[in-house]
Amino acid sequence: MSDTLLSVEDLWVRFPTRTGTVDAVRGISFSVGRERVGIVGESGSGKSMTGRSILRLIRAPGQMEAKSITFNGDNLLEYSERQMRKIRGHQISMVMQDPKFSLNPVHSVGKQICEALRLHTKVSRKQARQGALEMLEAVQIRNPERVFRSYPHELSGGMGQRVMIAMMLITDPQLLIADEPTSALDVTVQMKVLAIMDKLVQERGMGLIFISHDLNLVSSFCDRIIIMYAGRIVETCRASELHKATHPYTRGLLNALPRIEEPKGRLEALQRQDSWKQEASVDARV
Amino acid sequence: MPVSDSALMEPKSLSAETAADARLEIKNLNVYFGEGSERFQAVKNVSVSVQQGGSFGIVGESGSGKSTVLRAVCGLVESWDGEIDIDGAPVSHKRNKAFARKIQMVFQDPYASLHPRHTVDRVLSEPLKLHGFDGIDGRVLRALDDVGLGADFRFRYPHQLSGGQRQRVAVARALMLEPEILLLDEPTSALDVSVQAEILNLFAELRKEHNLTYVMVTHDLAVVAHMCDEIAVMQFGEVVEVMDVDAMRNSTPKTAYTQELLKASMGYDAEFFGDS
Ligand SMILES: Nc1ncnc2c1ncn2[C@@H]1O[C@H](COP(=O)(O)OP(=O)(O)OP(=O)(O)O)[C@@H](O)[C@H]1O
Ligand SMILES: Nc1ncnc2c1ncn2[C@@H]1O[C@H](COP(=O)(O)OP(=O)(O)OP(=O)(O)O)[C@@H](O)[C@H]1O
Ligand SMILES: [Mg+2]
Ligand SMILES: [Mg+2]
């Protein structure tokens, strides 16, 4: 068990709205070791809320509740807000789904990456600058100097995403939660960015939660997969065995994909069944 | 993997293939950002011709200028030269109201493109009011239904929606004015595969029913193969290759960069991508 970095037990996230309470996450349990865990599922199934809950970043009026969220043996639910701030961005980093939103529009990209680094380690201004430029280069930014001086609105979609990844990785976290981190990247850059994360998992034993709707990508990149539907885990499997998944929902997701080799006229959309919502959540702790 | 230089050096002029009934034609487009020593050319000599009712795809490297090409067509960049023709007539530098009826764009970033304090209802009904449409209620509900969101979502604010739900609102908004040309910037990259299937089916139906013309930017080669007849590959601000969809399916592209794209779209391969 010493290899378990994070263990989440019975997590719920709820939002009161005009038309009643939305249960965004409904009692899920899972664990993450020094490995790559993919979370997939349709839009609105609760993937992002699950990621944010780990860092206790659910905004009011949303409420989260869990029996425990254990990280390195400590229950994060017992931490004060001040202790949580020390965890966020240091031991656990999260690349948010909305990269440009998470960057400060009035500061240059370089300044923000340097600040992230200087909060985490004692380095001089010059070293921070050097580190930031190297990180931008590592995430395949072609012109690190120009991007360093740029403001968020001056970046393309994929550049913004890589800037966020650079900023999160520069602090050398033990656990990285990456929410759709490569959805705006062209495929070749995407592979290179995945290779960086892969290396951190293999060489430094980082844990990675990789949230994505790209089933092919997740099955080729991750070790384990958690499949979410309507706030619950319907199935979990080894990534390499995704093609053998049995749940009709998972099969539906796989069948909805267009494929380069096999042209189809119409794509198959998911035929949701009411019974899926009632099924108990599968325990994805190992 | 290195990309062969020969593929990058010669900016191709593709206007020779131009047909007479082009709906949208871009000729030698250049776009610049910044001033003085910071001046930077994001789009270099790009020429593209899209037939009436056609569906044209643009793929390519991140930062290569794909979104900028679409934004230039919409009149959203200041500094450009070259020619943009719609139905044979060049667009003026300032676009008018009729232009908005004819051409709509779905933006790449669903977070930035929806006003944070406007409900879904307002986002969808405002363009209708501006253009004097009637039956607004019914149109809003139908649009929500078309993109797979129920009436429940009508009075929500953007922060109450997941990423994919926001993108569906953005697609619905673009369809409200019943445009003839749709510019789609990664319209499904924030969507899960099932909603993607629904939206791509919807795009296909609309195209057939209303003879719409599409230009679609995406990094998903399977999506572009499904949707488009012709595909341009961009790198460093230039179009390095234009191929038809069969060439792409058969993996017979000309440039090394396009081949690399195809390889990468097969999934992660630690041996291939890991040791760079
Ligand atoms: N502030 C809020 N008020 C009400 N409902 C909310 C709020 N924030 C999120 N939700 C709902 O919670 C559910 C889960 O959202 P979440 O963002 O986790 O989805 P997701 O799986 O990440 O989807 P996507 O793939 O589209 O990003 C969604 O149905 C969403 O509409
Ligand atoms: N407002 C701006 N000011 C300065 N530079 C900009 C601006 N908008 C875009 N650029 C630059 O222009 C280049 C092309 O950007 P564009 O957004 O067109 O790329 P893209 O091909 O769409 O990339 P992606 O796939 O990452 O979205 C980038 O180098 C970007 O930094
Ligand atoms: Mg999400
Ligand atoms: Mg773009």
Side-chain angles (χ1 to χ4, degrees):
Chain A
M1 277 316 282
S2 66
D3 250 13
T4 304
L5 260 180
L6 176 83
S7 183
V8 173
E9 189 183 358
D10 199 21
L11 172 70
W12 289 79
V13 179
R14 299 185 179 91
F15 290 96
T17 70
R18 248 200 227 194
T19 46
T21 304
V22 175
D23 289 323
V25 179
R26 302 187 295 152
I28 66 171
S29 301
F30 63 98
S31 66
V32 182
R34 300 176 186 283
E35 59 177 340
R36 299 159 296 189
V37 175
I39 302 185
V40 298
E42 65 175 347
S43 178
S45 58
K47 305 181 297 294
S48 296
M49 291 306 149
T50 299
R52 298 181 71 102
S53 298
I54 296 166
L55 284 169
R56 292 187 18 206
L57 284 174
I58 302 294
R59 286 192 212 100
Q63 293 153 2
M64 64 170 282
E65 193 183 292
K67 289 219 175 82
S68 63
I69 297 181
T70 313
F71 176 66
N72 271 337
D74 281 2
N75 188 352
L76 295 183
L77 296 174
E78 286 161 8
Y79 273 27
S80 67
E81 189 46 37
R82 214 175 126 205
Q83 283 173 304
M84 274 316 287
R85 275 202 293 272
K86 285 205 176 128
I87 292 278
R88 292 185 198 125
H90 299 260
Q91 275 113 303
I92 308 179
S93 284
M94 180 161 180
V95 179
M96 300 284 181
Q97 191 171 4
D98 39 358
K100 289 195 183 165
F101 237 50
S102 351
L103 289 168
N104 187 333
V106 304
H107 292 307
S108 73
V109 158
K111 183 173 171 177
Q112 296 182 60
I113 302 178
C114 287
E115 262 169 24
L117 180 59
R118 281 164 63 88
L119 268 175
H120 174 70
T121 24
K122 290 250 167 302
V123 289
S124 70
R125 253 167 223 290
K126 217 174 139 200
Q127 283 167 321
R129 188 189 148 82
Q130 194 53 37
L133 287 171
E134 278 166 18
M135 206 40 157
L136 286 174
E137 206 165 353
V139 293
Q140 305 289 314
I141 294 278
R142 282 207 184 269
N143 189 339
E145 294 274 356
R146 178 169 75 85
V147 170
F148 189 91
R149 290 192 305 271
S150 299
Y151 288 83
H153 75 274
E154 296 174 336
L155 303 176
S156 78
M159 290 160 113
Q161 226 169 27
R162 277 174 289 164
V163 163
M164 278 305 298
I165 293 170
M167 202 157 123
M168 294 301 129
L169 288 180
I170 205 164
T171 60
D172 200 8
Q174 293 178 46
L175 177 66
L176 177 68
I177 304 165
D179 194 354
E180 302 278 6
T182 59
S183 63
L185 300 183
D186 71 86
V187 279
T188 59
V189 171
Q190 180 177 62
M191 292 305 147
K192 288 168 189 157
V193 169
L194 292 182
I196 301 170
M197 295 190 199
D198 195 8
K199 204 166 151 196
L200 291 172
V201 175
Q202 308 302 338
E203 291 174 7
R204 289 197 223 151
M206 182 179 83
L208 176 66
I209 298 178
F210 189 83
I211 299 174
S212 172
H213 58 258
D214 188 334
L215 284 96
N216 282 330
L217 185 69
V218 168
S219 70
S220 63
F221 177 63
C222 292
D223 300 300
R224 257 190 325 130
I225 305 187
I226 290 171
I227 299 135
M228 288 188 71
Y229 177 72
R232 286 195 176 149
I233 299 175
V234 294
E235 195 166 11
T236 174
C237 64
R238 304 238 30 104
S240 54
E241 317 246 283
L242 181 66
H243 62 284
K244 294 190 203 151
T246 54
H247 198 285
Y249 169 66
T250 317
R251 299 254 39 111
L253 292 177
L254 286 166
N255 291 338
L257 287 169
R259 297 190 189 276
I260 295 186
E261 329 78 72
E262 314 162 25
K264 316 182 197 176
R266 267 183 78 80
L267 297 170
E268 256 178 73
L270 202 59
Q271 303 298 320
R272 292 173 191 76
Q273 289 158 27
D274 280 341
S275 61
W276 297 349
K277 278 202 176 138
Q278 267 70 59
E279 290 171 18
S281 192
V282 172
D283 192 337
R285 284 175 294 183
V286 286
Chain B
M1 222 178 75
V3 174
S4 96
D5 277 334
S6 66
L8 313 174
M9 295 330 295
E10 44 170 332
K12 294 204 174 74
S13 173
L14 300 152
S15 42
E17 298 161 20
T18 299
D21 57 348
R23 171 121 245 202
L24 167 67
E25 186 156 3
I26 300 171
K27 291 183 204 153
N28 306 318
L29 178 71
N30 297 298
V31 180
Y32 313 88
F33 290 112
E35 309 265 301
S37 66
E38 292 280 297
R39 189 170 155 97
F40 165 77
Q41 186 170 1
V43 174
K44 297 172 191 159
N45 202 30
V46 163
S47 298
V48 156
S49 168
V50 189
Q51 303 304 301
Q52 157 79 38
S55 177
F56 191 91
I58 304 179
V59 300
E61 203 168 58
S62 177
S64 64
K66 304 181 297 294
S67 299
T68 305
V69 168
L70 298 191
R71 295 175 68 87
V73 173
C74 276
L76 296 172
V77 297
E78 273 166 28
S79 185
W80 63 276
D81 56 52
E83 203 174 310
I84 300 172
D85 293 353
I86 291 171
D87 296 329
V91 298
S92 54
H93 260 75
K94 195 138 180 60
R95 310 289 195 274
N96 54 21
K97 219 165 142 181
F99 181 87
R101 286 283 312 258
K102 203 159 196 166
I103 298 199
Q104 282 285 318
M105 175 159 170
V106 175
F107 293 90
Q108 180 168 6
D109 188 350
Y111 290 91
S113 68
L114 296 181
H115 192 292
R117 280 188 297 278
H118 291 180
T119 60
V120 170
D121 181 68
R122 179 152 175 204
V123 167
L124 299 184
S125 56
E126 212 146 69
L128 293 175
K129 286 182 190 144
L130 205 66
H131 288 266
F133 276 76
D134 52 17
I136 289 181
D137 256 20
R139 286 175 191 270
V140 167
L141 287 170
R142 221 189 94 202
L144 282 173
D145 191 54
D146 278 345
V147 296
L149 292 173
D152 281 0
F153 287 89
R154 185 168 173 188
F155 295 102
R156 288 212 197 172
Y157 289 92
H159 76 269
Q160 295 173 320
L161 304 172
S162 77
Q165 289 160 348
R166 278 182 231 207
Q167 187 64 330
R168 281 185 267 176
V169 174
V171 170
R173 175 178 58 186
L175 295 173
M176 293 314 292
L177 296 179
E178 301 169 355
E180 294 164 26
I181 303 176
L182 269 181
L183 307 178
L184 305 167
D185 195 358
E186 306 272 10
T188 60
S189 73
L191 302 179
D192 67 77
V193 293
S194 176
V195 180
Q196 169 171 288
E198 283 163 31
I199 299 263
L200 295 181
N201 286 342
L202 172 72
F203 284 149
E205 275 158 30
L206 288 168
R207 182 175 164 209
K208 219 163 44 193
E209 271 170 38
H210 303 283
N211 203 17
L212 292 185
T213 304
Y214 294 143
V215 182
M216 179 178 202
V217 168
T218 171
H219 57 84
D220 188 326
L221 299 199
V223 166
V224 91
H226 178 76
M227 284 287 293
C228 301
D229 332 310
E230 247 191 322
I231 296 127
V233 182
M234 286 188 74
Q235 195 181 25
F236 309 125
E238 289 171 17
V239 171
V240 296
E241 179 164 4
V242 177
M243 57 189 161
D244 66 25
V245 63
D246 293 323
M248 195 171 112
R249 286 195 199 283
N250 303 331
S251 279
T252 49
K254 292 189 229 87
T255 63
Y257 177 63
T258 313
Q259 279 160 11
E260 197 185 333
L261 273 181
L262 279 164
K263 163 73 188 153
S265 70
M266 307 313 275
Y268 183 71
D269 177 345
E271 271 170 38
F272 194 81
F273 301 104
D275 48 14
S276 54

